Amino acid sequence: MKKNFAPLQAVLVAALMAAALGQVHAQNAAAPDALFQTIQGLDTQLFDAYNRCDLEKFGSLLADDLEFYHDKTGLSRGRPALLEGIKNNICGKVTRELVPGTLEVYPIADYGAVEIGVHRFHHPGHETADSVGEAKFIHLWQKKDGAWKVTRVISFDHQALKK
């Protein structure tokens, strides 16, 4: 007695093709290499300025109408408010590093890009095992008139570094 497996084979082939097309779609949704490199470079500039307390450079990468959402401190609106907070609470007290391998960049049509990652915060001169923290972040970058600026920030899931 010979069984007909043609319907099963057709279903398997269709499933494999759908899976392959799904992978192609997912790869295309991620940022092209040039955009990834651009946003990675901007992240480096932004946080080099943050770590050195170069508020002029840091502020030049922020939109005037910036909105910063922080899971512990809430919403801060506007570039001046964020710069004042950095000056009073961060300068000389905290440094930030991007956790290697966590950066994701995705294009936003007719706007710019979204940057997602994990960053680690240190307290130079006062570092203990409990003082190093990590958080997830989302930055929305807008490219307008040839210049990139952060317009929205979400910083969340702040916690002590897991050993």
Side-chain angles (χ1 to χ4, degrees), residues 94-158:
V94 178
T95 60
R96 179 262 197 186
E97 70 173 308
L98 178 65
V99 175
T102 65
L103 186 64
E104 298 176 48
V105 174
Y106 300 91
I108 302 293
D110 301 320
Y111 190 83
V114 63
E115 173 188 15
I116 303 168
V118 176
H119 44 205
R120 188 170 294 144
F121 296 95
H122 300 272
H123 303 274
H126 304 286
E127 239 171 82
T128 65
D130 296 333
S131 71
V132 178
E134 283 188 352
K136 297 174 184 164
F137 70 92
I138 301 169
H139 291 173
L140 188 59
W141 289 90
Q142 181 181 33
K143 187 175 184 184
K144 186 175 179 182
D145 301 326
W148 287 94
K149 305 251 184 192
V150 177
T151 60
R152 303 292 179 266
V153 174
I154 304 173
S155 187
F156 61 101
D157 196 27
H158 286 82

Side-chain angles (χ1 to χ4, degrees), residues 23-57:
Q23 288 177 346
V24 168
H25 175 70
Q27 290 171 353
N28 287 339
D33 286 341
L35 181 60
F36 182 90
Q37 296 298 326
T38 296
I39 298 302
Q40 184 178 43
L42 289 165
D43 181 89
T44 298
Q45 289 179 46
L46 184 69
F47 285 100
D48 281 351
Y50 174 96
N51 290 339
R52 290 188 332 270
C53 199
D54 181 348
L55 297 180
E56 185 176 331
K57 175 63 175 176

